[in-house]
Structure formats: C-alpha cells, structure tokens
Amino acid sequence: MAQQGAALQTYNLELIKGIEDMKRKRSELQQLIDEQEDEKITLQREIEKMSFRLAQINASLSQMTAARSKYDHTIAETEAAYTKILESSQVLLNMVRTEASCLEQILAKKINVDESHSLGWVVVSIDNLARYDHLYFGEVARLDYTRSLRDTGVKTHITETD
C-alpha cells in the first residue's frame, strides 16, 4: 500500500504542478488580454477622435466647395459682363469714329456750299439725311424728313430750330 500511497502522492504533486502551470499560463494570457483590451480602448478613442475630425473636415470641405462654386459662378458672370462691356465699348468707339468722320464730311460740304444754296435746299446723301442734325451757316437746323426725289439727287428742306 505504501507503493500506492507514493504513486498517489506523485500524481497529486504532478496534478498540483499542472494546475499551477495552467494558472500561471492563464495569468500570462490574462495579462495579454488586459493589454489588448487597453489598446482596443485606446484605438476606439482614437477612432472616435478621428471620426469626429473626419466629420469636421467633410463639413469644412463641403462649405469650401460651395464657396468655390459661388466664386466660379461669379467669375463667369463677371467675365461675361466684362466681355459685353468690351464689345459695347468697341461698338461705341466705332460709332463715335463714324459719326465724327461723317460730321467732318458734312461740315466740309457746308463750307463749300455757295450762296445760291442758302435758300434752304441742300443735296445730301441718304446716309447723312437719316442720321444727323446739321449746322446751317452757323445756326442749328434740323433736316425736315419730308424728302423728295428730284432728278439725280435727294433734296431736303432745312428749317431752323428755335
């Protein structure tokens, strides 16, 4: 029986040693679990911070994109308006040049009109007839637009204005 008691004691010691070894391994595993749980909590906090920051950046990007779109729209409208102004300026410049040239021609014709034409009848071109008020020997006169075609020219009656 002693042999059985010794074998039982050996089994008992090995069993205790095995249990203690498992407890030690469990403790080491628990330490690893605790470390990873801490890391998990840290990562979750970082994810929350990053998610919040991501939401802020997305909102900011959305606002900036909308503002940029407004800039693009305003720039396009301004450029279109500026182009129209340039075109209008060019048209106005051309018109002023044409008017000045025609007025110079009319003035040159009036200087050359002799006294016999001072009765009120002057031959003018149709272009000049439709567009200009005229000086008639230093006095402001306007063309009476009742025209009559006679012979080869257009004769127009000039009346003095008040």
Side-chain angles (χ1 to χ4, degrees), residues 115-128:
E115 291 296 323
S116 66
H117 288 98
S118 66
L119 300 174
W121 291 91
V122 177
V123 176
V124 295
S125 71
I126 292 176
D127 290 337
N128 292 339

Side-chain angles (χ1 to χ4, degrees), residues 9-25:
Q9 180 118 9
T10 303
Y11 294 145
N12 190 28
L13 287 174
E14 284 183 30
L15 184 61
I16 291 175
K17 188 177 179 185
I19 290 173
E20 285 178 3
D21 190 41
M22 283 195 287
K23 284 183 178 182
R24 183 185 52 77
K25 287 182 179 180

Side-chain angles (χ1 to χ4, degrees), residues 43-99:
L43 289 173
Q44 284 177 331
R45 286 182 186 151
E46 287 179 21
I47 288 172
E48 287 174 6
K49 287 178 186 177
M50 287 182 178
S51 293
F52 180 73
R53 181 67 182 136
L54 179 62
Q56 286 178 325
I57 289 173
N58 282 335
S60 176
L61 281 172
S62 177
Q63 291 172 348
M64 287 190 283
T65 302
R68 184 190 61 202
S69 293
K70 287 181 182 180
Y71 273 115
D72 290 343
H73 181 72
T74 302
I75 289 168
E77 284 183 346
T78 303
E79 286 176 341
Y82 182 68
T83 300
K84 287 181 182 180
I85 289 170
L86 288 177
E87 290 170 356
S88 296
S89 296
Q90 184 64 43
V91 168
L92 180 61
L93 179 62
N94 290 339
M95 185 179 78
V96 167
R97 287 177 180 164
T98 302
E99 295 286 328

Side-chain angles (χ1 to χ4, degrees), residues 114-161:
D114 65 346
E115 291 296 323
S116 66
H117 288 98
S118 66
L119 300 174
W121 291 91
V122 177
V123 176
V124 295
S125 71
I126 292 176
D127 290 337
N128 292 339
L129 176 69
R131 290 189 292 189
Y132 301 104
D133 287 340
H134 300 283
L135 293 176
Y136 187 67
F137 294 134
E139 296 181 22
V140 177
R142 70 173 179 83
L143 291 175
D144 185 359
Y145 291 109
T146 57
R147 296 177 238 161
S148 62
L149 294 174
R150 241 189 221 165
D151 301 328
T152 59
V154 176
K155 295 195 174 193
T156 306
H157 182 69
I158 298 178
T159 58
E160 293 182 13
T161 59

